[in-house]
């Protein structure tokens, strides 16, 4: 009955290789594009404006700091993914290494992280979509254009576009991972093309004097912006939740994790440098479309229209991949008995159908009924906590099972995992007190659910 009981690592690896579960159809290109699909979205198209007003031209440096925090954690994720190709990501790793209570809490944390990201991004998607419709002279009724209280002075009841995009993508996810991956790959290629178009066109309009002073708010501004734009990197960890659906997980998962993070880091740094080189950073205050604003500022309005299209596709892929990751976490927790059995039921396409629709409906309604600023408060702290835990788990596993075959080894253990903990912990310090309080309340609710339901229904409990 110990709350720190662990699952048998070797048995988990053997079970993941048996037929009859999730279908193994994904390759390394699918995983890289899945990671990019989850990462490139709100961060590059929306948060760069807030980051620029916080750090100034040094926003590019803030992205580097956030990328280091993610990069160190990504190396830890890659080692685990190559050892344990099982659905559930860090939840599953924690169950095998740190114990059931830790696994439950991190799974509970991931439910919050992935769910709120899908809801928050659906709201951002709605804003860009309505802007695009407005360009054609079409408008959604005000009452159905936003969540209650989201627009000052306007009576709103329900964000219909946000809810509908969640439903459309849930239908797509229900068709199977192969079909979802194909659509994701197409949208990712298009949105990367749009980002490259911005770089090629925008680079001609950069005025170097706009980069001075480079750090107007000092190191504090850089770190505060890094804590903010960290949201822009959330998503590469969702690749690990697909582990059971990868053809050659020991080779392909590390490629997908590290490859997607590397591509996105380069794009973020280059885009933020060009953006602040075109527009003085003070002019981004209160702007929710900073990339297209930079092009409008440069007189390249035709490219700005393509950027808006890229933003819509970018946010669609973020919702798709994060909802996918959320359903796989629920599937893994249900399969272990910690959540109701129906959540691990598969349809003919090998999709956890109940979990997929539960995610779509619940977080679709949240996006439709809750304002964006409320939804986004907890996503960063939940992710940072997960990154710290996977880094600790790598160190523990090296001590407990040094003999375990590792297709990919995180270099410099315990230094690299230690740096991941240090960087992620430093970013957590810069988050607001309200965020910390809300996060603690969510974890407290999770403890109540664990001790009243999950602990008694755990398959490990029944085995004992």
């Amino acid at each position: 009955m110990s709350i720190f009981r662990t699952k048998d690592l070797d048995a988990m690896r053997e079970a993941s290789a048996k037929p009859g579960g999730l279908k193994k159809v994904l390759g390394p290109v699918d995983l890289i594009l899945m990671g990019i699909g989850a990462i490139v979205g709100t961060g590059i198209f929306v948060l760069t404006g807030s980051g620029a007003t916080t750090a100034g031209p040094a926003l590019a440096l803030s992205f580097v700091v956030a990328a280091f925090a993610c990069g160190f954690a990504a190396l830890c994720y890659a080692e685990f993914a190559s050892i344990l190709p099982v659905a559930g990501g860090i939840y599953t790793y924690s169950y095998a290494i740190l114990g059931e209570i830790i696994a439950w809490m991190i799974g509970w944390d991931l439910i919050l992280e992935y769910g709120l990201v899908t809801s928050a991004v659906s709201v951002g998607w709605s804003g860009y979509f309505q802007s695009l419709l407005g360009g054609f002279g079409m408008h959604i009724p005000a009452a159905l254009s936003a969540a209650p209280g989201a627009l000052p002075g306007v009576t709103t009841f329900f964000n219909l576009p946000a809810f509908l995009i969640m439903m459309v993508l849930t239908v797509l996810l229900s068709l199977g991972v192969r079909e979802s991956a194909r659509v994701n790959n197409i949208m990712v290629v298009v949105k990367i093309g749009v980002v490259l178009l911005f770089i090629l066109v925008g680079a001609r309009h950069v005025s170097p004097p706009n980069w001075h002073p480079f750090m107007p708010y000092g190191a504090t501004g850089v770190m505060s912006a890094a804590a903010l734009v960290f949201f822009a990197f959330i998503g590469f960890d969702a690749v690990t939740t697909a582990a059971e659906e990868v053809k050659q997980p020991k080779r392909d998962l590390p490629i997908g994790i590290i490859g997607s993070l590397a591509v996105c880091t380069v794009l973020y740094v280059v885009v933020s440098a060009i953006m602040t080189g075109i527009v003085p950073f003070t002019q981004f205050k209160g702007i929710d479309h900073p990339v297209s604003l930079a092009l409008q500022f440069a007189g390249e309005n035709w490219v700005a229209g393509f950027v808006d299209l890229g933003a819509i596709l970018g946010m669609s892929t973020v919702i798709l991949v994060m909802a996918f990751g959320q359903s796989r976490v629920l599937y893994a927790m249900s399969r272990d008995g910690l959540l109701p059995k129906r959540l691990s039921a598969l349809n003919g396409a090998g999709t956890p159908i109940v979990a997929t629709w539960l995610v779509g409906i619940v977080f679709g309604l949240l996006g439709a009924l809750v304002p964006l600023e409320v939804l986004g408060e907890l996503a960063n702290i939940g992710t940072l906590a997960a990154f710290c835990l996977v880094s600790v788990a790598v160190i523990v596993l090296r001590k407990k099972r040094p003999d375990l075959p590792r297709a990919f080894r995180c270099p410099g253990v315990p230094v690299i995992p230690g740096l991941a903990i240090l960087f992620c912990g430093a970013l957590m310090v810069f988050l607001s007190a309200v965020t910390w309080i809300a996060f603690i309340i969510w974890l407290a609710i999770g403890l109540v659910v664990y001790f009243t339901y999950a602990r008694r229904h755990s398959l490990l409990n029944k085995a004992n």
Side-chain angles (χ1 to χ4, degrees):
M1 290 294 289
S2 170
I3 61 174
F4 291 101
R5 55 197 173 198
T6 58
K7 296 183 68 174
D8 185 275
L9 193 61
D10 296 315
M12 292 172 70
R13 297 175 71 196
E14 292 172 7
S16 70
K18 293 180 180 178
L22 299 171
K23 296 184 178 181
K24 298 182 182 296
V25 296
L26 300 177
V29 175
D30 294 314
L31 293 175
I32 291 175
L33 293 177
M34 180 182 287
I36 295 173
I39 298 170
V40 177
T42 305
I44 199 167
F45 292 114
V46 179
L47 286 181
T48 43
S50 301
T53 59
T54 304
L59 173 62
L61 189 56
S62 299
F63 274 117
V64 172
V65 172
F68 267 105
C70 291
F72 292 137
L75 293 172
C76 299
Y77 267 102
E79 175 166 326
F80 269 116
S82 70
I83 294 171
L84 195 60
V86 180
I90 179 58
Y91 156 75
T92 303
Y93 309 153
S94 299
Y95 211 157
I97 310 304
L98 301 177
E100 186 175 274
I101 183 65
I102 303 298
W104 165 263
M105 294 308 294
I106 202 61
W108 189 253
D109 175 28
L110 291 176
I111 291 172
L112 182 73
E113 174 200 339
Y114 290 171
L116 289 184
V117 168
T118 57
S119 297
V121 175
S122 72
V123 177
W125 185 96
S126 173
Y128 268 92
F129 180 71
Q130 291 183 60
S131 175
L132 186 64
L133 287 181
F136 293 99
M138 296 182 288
H139 302 279
I140 292 173
L144 299 177
S145 66
L151 301 177
V154 180
T155 302
T156 54
F157 297 103
F158 192 82
N159 194 328
L160 183 61
F163 183 75
L164 290 180
I165 187 59
M166 286 290 292
M167 293 302 97
V168 169
L169 295 178
T170 300
V171 170
L172 176 59
L173 287 170
S174 300
L175 298 177
V177 66
R178 187 194 302 273
E179 291 73 13
S180 302
R182 285 173 178 167
V183 174
N184 176 73
N185 294 352
I186 293 170
M187 290 194 292
V188 168
V189 169
V190 173
K191 74 176 177 180
I192 293 302
V194 170
V195 172
L196 293 177
L197 178 63
F198 167 80
I199 292 172
L200 291 174
V201 174
R204 302 201 308 261
H205 298 279
V206 168
S207 175
N210 287 331
W211 288 332
H212 300 287
F214 183 68
M215 294 175 61
Y217 307 113
T220 300
V222 171
M223 291 300 294
S224 296
L228 173 67
V229 300
F230 181 82
F231 183 91
F233 289 98
I234 292 176
F236 79 84
D237 57 317
V239 171
T240 64
T241 66
E244 263 183 74
E245 293 154 279
V246 178
K247 298 174 186 176
Q248 299 184 55
K250 293 182 179 180
R251 182 200 69 180
D252 296 347
L253 280 168
I255 293 173
I257 294 167
I258 297 170
S260 60
L261 184 62
V263 170
C264 293
T265 300
V266 172
L267 291 177
Y268 283 164
V269 170
V270 174
V271 167
S272 59
I274 291 175
M275 193 184 77
T276 54
I278 297 174
V279 182
F281 70 90
T282 54
Q283 296 190 30
F284 286 110
K285 187 174 181 60
I287 298 298
D288 60 1
H289 55 286
V291 177
S292 57
L293 172 70
L295 291 169
Q296 292 165 6
F297 193 89
E300 302 282 2
N301 292 317
W302 68 275
V303 185
F306 280 104
V307 167
D308 288 342
L309 175 62
I312 290 173
L313 290 177
M315 292 180 188
S316 298
T317 60
V318 173
I319 298 169
L320 182 70
V321 177
M322 298 305 279
F324 170 89
Q326 170 82 304
S327 67
R328 268 49 178 184
V329 171
L330 292 176
Y331 167 81
M333 296 177 76
S334 168
R335 190 171 58 178
D336 292 333
L338 301 182
L339 290 173
K341 186 73 173 175
R342 286 185 60 80
L343 292 176
S344 55
L346 300 177
N347 66 2
T351 299
I353 190 68
V354 177
T356 297
W357 276 99
L358 180 66
V359 170
I361 293 172
V362 170
F363 292 102
L365 288 172
L366 273 179
L369 297 171
V370 181
L372 178 61
E373 60 271 15
V374 178
L375 292 170
E377 286 181 350
L378 290 172
N380 280 4
I381 195 168
T383 306
L384 288 164
F387 287 2
C388 288
L389 271 177
V390 78
S391 303
V392 170
V394 163
I395 298 172
V396 172
L397 187 60
R398 286 288 183 93
K399 294 292 185 182
K400 290 177 66 175
R401 294 290 303 274
D403 60 314
L404 198 65
R406 292 165 168 83
F408 178 88
R409 295 178 68 89
C410 174
V413 175
V415 175
I416 294 298
L419 287 172
I421 296 168
L422 179 64
F423 270 75
C424 292
L427 292 179
M428 290 174 80
V429 169
F430 283 88
L431 294 172
S432 70
V434 172
T435 299
W436 274 97
I437 293 169
F439 182 59
I440 291 170
I441 291 172
W442 176 254
L443 294 183
I445 295 172
L447 285 173
V448 172
V449 176
Y450 174 75
F451 284 106
T452 57
Y453 177 88
R455 187 185 182 194
R456 291 186 293 109
H457 290 83
S458 165
L459 293 187
L460 285 186
N461 180 47
K462 295 178 180 179
N464 295 330

